């Protein structure tokens, strides 16, 4: 008879209930792999269960409550009691990761968190294990399925942001309060976790600059399609000189980029390094059964060999001003000299124009251009000055462009 491995479950919502079902379904199949049969030994919700009792009767705790407190307190107490922990909580790890990983090391227990980033896509495991020896240069990620679905629908049908959001909510891809998703904060938390692992340096959510998709118009997406560009909400973590830049922004991609074809509520992460060129992993980024599958994978790993998240060995400075190419959209009066004045202001900041499209709109005109890479601060200085020109009909709109293609 195999022994049992007792799993205490904190949270029984979308993910917790799917995990409980999956654990029961897969328990027998896990026995030959681990020599132990996992079983649910207790469940905590707001209205049921007692944490101390669940803790004392468990070998491992699964935390799927979400948010910072009381999840942080429970996870710390579990590890101090010598229990392994599996968590799907990106907000907790992106804000208190160093404290939690230190606690895991001190107590010689495992803290696993595959489901916290990109759902079932095994990106944490790949960074921690398979690519542990690679000198990662850059990570790009579509790590929020809600916003990827909204942008995909806007591109496909030309619908407005508001209509695409409503459709995402009707289909269950967006919460009734979608703020964390559409502002980029959810993606920022995931990028903080990825950056910490890939670059071996502490990264807190507060150090990640983020911008959401609420201001994106179907117009911008349609114009950029003429340049062969598609829009995504992209998280980037990259080496800049001796430092690290981590940010989340809407960005245009050319068709050859591995993330360009990732549509709908899917997630994908691209890791670039000299040694490996580029690896892309993609798959469902959320959903109860999908997330539960990632959690159960972590539980099985915790049942086998010891693994900890090592202490970071350096503290890279976080760099804010990085180089980027840009898409610039302007509504202007249709009169001579307009393009020349815009080009002059851009030129003064060192910006050079890669391509431009001009379209007449009666007495006005629409000027859309793609700029070669330059420092963001210089680009926005130029945009500020352009916005003050008397022929501008509305504020210029700018979106980053990622130029790399891997074809
Ligand atoms: N949903 C997804 O697709 C997905 C994907 C990846 C990661 N995640 C992460 O997984 C975690 C859980 O997400 P979810 O969608 O399953 O959330 P959810 O449906 O809202 O469920 C949360 C569960 O936690 C319980 N809970 C909340 N506050 C509690 C407290 N103070 N004490 C005890 N129990 C408490 C709730 O209890 P009641 O039942 O009493 O309300 C509920 O059972 C989050 O960290 C989330 O970011 C979710």
């Amino acid at each position: 008879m195999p022994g049992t491995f007792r799993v205490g479950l904190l949270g029984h919502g979308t993910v917790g209930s799917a995990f409980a079902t999956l654990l029961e379904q897969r328990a027998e199949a896990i026995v030959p792999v681990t020599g132990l049969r996992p079983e649910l030994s207790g469940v905590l919700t707001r209205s049921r269960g007692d944490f101390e009792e669940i803790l004392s009767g468990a070998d491992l705790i699964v935390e799927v409550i979400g948010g910072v407190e009381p999840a942080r307190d429970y996870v710390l107490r579990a590890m101090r009691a010598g229990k392994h922990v599996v968590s799907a909580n990106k907000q907790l790890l992106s804000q208190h990761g160093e404290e939690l990983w230190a606690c895991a090391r001190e107590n010689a227990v495992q803290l696993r968190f595959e489901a916290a980033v990109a759902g079932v896509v095994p990106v944490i495991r790949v960074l921690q294990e398979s690519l542990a020896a690679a000198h990662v240069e850059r990570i790009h990620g579509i790590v929020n399925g809600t916003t990827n679905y909204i942008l995909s629908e806007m591109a496909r049908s030309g619908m407005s942001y508001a209509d695409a959001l409503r459709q995402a909510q009707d289909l269950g891809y967006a919460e009734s309060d979608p703020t964390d998703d559409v502002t980029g904060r959810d993606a920022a938390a995931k990028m903080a976790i990825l950056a910490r692992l890939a670059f071996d340096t502490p990264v807190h959510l507060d150090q990640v600059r983020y911008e959401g998709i609420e201001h994106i118009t179907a117009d911008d997406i349609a114009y950029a399609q003429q340049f062969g560009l598609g829009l995504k909400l992209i998280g980037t973590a990259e080496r800049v000189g001796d430092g690290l830049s981590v940010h989340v922004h809407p960005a245009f991609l050319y068709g050859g980029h591995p993330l360009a074809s990732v549509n709908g509520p899917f997630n994908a992460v691209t890791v670039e390094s000299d040694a490996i060129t580029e690896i892309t992993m993609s798959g469902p980024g959320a959903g109860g059964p999908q997330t539960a599958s990632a959690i159960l994978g972590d539980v099985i790993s915790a049942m086998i060999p010891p693994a900890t998240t090592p202490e970071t060995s350096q503290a890279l400075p976080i760099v804010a001003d990085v180089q980027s190419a840009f898409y610039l959209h302007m509504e202007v009066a249709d009169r001579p000299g307009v393009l020349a004045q815009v080009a002059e202001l851009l030129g003064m900041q060192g910006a050079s124009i890669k391509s431009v499209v001009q379209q007449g709109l009666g007495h006005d005109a629409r000027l859309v251009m793609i700029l070669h890479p330059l420092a963001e601060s210089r680009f926005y200085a130029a945009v500020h000055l352009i916005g003050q020109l008397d022929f501008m009909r509305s504020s210029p709109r700018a979106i980053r462009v990622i130029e790399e293609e891997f074809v």
Side-chain angles (χ1 to χ4, degrees):
M1 275 291 282
T4 51
F5 186 84
R6 300 160 304 164
V7 179
L9 179 59
L10 312 183
H12 199 258
T14 306
V15 177
S17 58
F19 173 75
T21 304
L22 187 65
L23 184 66
E24 200 180 335
Q25 286 170 350
R26 302 295 299 158
E28 255 341 289
I30 293 168
V31 175
V33 182
T34 63
L36 296 169
R37 178 182 288 104
E39 68 172 33
L40 207 57
S41 55
V43 176
L44 183 78
T45 67
R46 274 179 279 230
S47 57
R48 126 190 200 210
D50 174 77
F51 175 71
E52 283 302 337
E53 241 173 62
I54 291 169
L55 186 60
S56 63
D59 299 304
L60 176 148
I61 292 291
V62 169
E63 183 277 306
V64 278
I65 290 175
V68 170
E69 293 294 356
R72 173 180 158 274
D73 178 50
Y74 288 154
V75 168
L76 286 170
R77 280 161 67 188
M79 293 192 294
R80 285 176 191 140
K83 315 290 168 143
H84 301 307
V85 172
V86 175
S87 172
N89 192 334
K90 62 239 154 191
Q91 291 300 344
L92 177 61
L93 289 159
S94 63
Q95 295 174 66
H96 298 279
E98 295 312 319
E99 177 190 25
L100 297 171
W101 288 310
C103 182
R105 285 190 299 273
E106 281 156 22
N107 293 283
V109 295
Q110 297 184 43
L111 171 59
R112 290 187 168 266
F113 47 95
E114 187 65 73
V117 181
V120 74
V121 186
V123 56
I124 301 292
R125 196 171 301 250
V126 167
L127 283 175
Q128 282 189 314
E129 297 173 18
S130 321
L131 298 182
H135 183 76
V136 176
E137 287 295 335
R138 177 161 50 199
I139 296 178
H140 280 315
I142 295 175
V143 288
N144 183 274
T146 305
T147 45
N148 203 50
Y149 175 83
I150 292 171
L151 294 175
S152 301
E153 283 303 289
M154 289 172 73
R156 191 184 60 79
S157 68
M159 72 169 67
S160 69
Y161 163 75
D163 287 345
L165 171 59
R166 211 167 304 118
Q167 184 171 303
Q169 286 170 323
D170 290 345
L171 291 170
Y173 294 142
E175 310 263 333
S176 51
D177 177 4
T179 312
D180 258 19
D181 292 324
V182 299
T183 58
R185 186 174 166 83
D186 173 88
K190 293 165 178 169
M191 290 310 298
I193 298 169
L194 289 183
R196 192 278 183 204
L197 296 181
F199 297 97
D200 183 31
T201 189
V203 182
H204 190 280
L205 174 59
D206 290 348
Q207 294 172 301
V208 183
R209 293 177 301 128
Y210 59 90
E211 177 189 321
I213 63 163
E214 308 107 298
H215 61 285
I216 299 294
T217 68
D219 225 24
D220 288 322
I221 295 178
Y223 271 98
Q225 277 171 348
Q226 295 178 27
F227 296 111
L229 291 166
L231 190 66
K232 306 288 178 194
L233 182 67
I234 299 287
T236 302
E238 60 187 342
R239 292 185 193 278
V240 180
D242 290 335
L244 176 69
S245 169
V246 192
H247 50 94
V248 173
H249 288 106
F252 285 115
L253 300 174
Y254 286 100
H257 194 282
L259 299 185
S261 58
V262 178
N263 289 314
F266 277 79
N267 280 194
V269 175
T270 294
V271 183
E272 294 171 45
S273 156
D274 281 348
I276 59 167
T277 310
E278 172 279 311
I279 287 177
T280 301
M281 295 157 271
S282 68
Q290 294 84 348
T291 310
S293 164
I295 293 172
L296 185 54
D298 273 352
V299 171
I300 294 169
S301 296
M303 290 168 76
I304 318 170
T308 56
T309 301
E311 208 170 339
T312 51
S313 60
Q314 53 189 341
L316 299 179
I318 302 291
V319 180
D321 192 17
V322 293
Q323 297 258 330
S324 177
F326 281 93
Y327 156 101
L328 182 59
H329 183 133
M330 292 160 285
E331 312 275 334
V332 298
D334 193 2
R335 64 180 199 226
V338 165
L339 181 56
Q341 278 193 62
V342 169
E344 190 187 342
L345 288 179
L346 288 168
M348 281 164 57
Q349 292 297 338
S352 73
I353 299 169
K354 180 175 182 182
S355 34
V356 60
V357 170
Q358 183 164 2
Q359 186 190 45
L361 301 168
H363 294 301
D364 294 341
R366 185 174 287 139
L367 208 51
V368 180
M369 51 181 70
I370 306 291
L371 302 174
H372 285 294
L374 75 158
E376 288 181 7
S377 58
R378 301 197 72 178
F379 171 74
Y380 283 111
V383 170
H384 176 71
L385 294 175
I386 290 168
Q388 292 174 352
L389 293 170
D390 66 345
F391 53 70
M392 293 300 296
R393 293 292 182 245
S394 58
S395 298
R397 296 205 301 270
I399 298 175
R400 285 162 182 76
V401 174
I402 292 170
E403 294 202 301
E404 290 83 8
E405 298 189 86
F406 296 89
V407 283

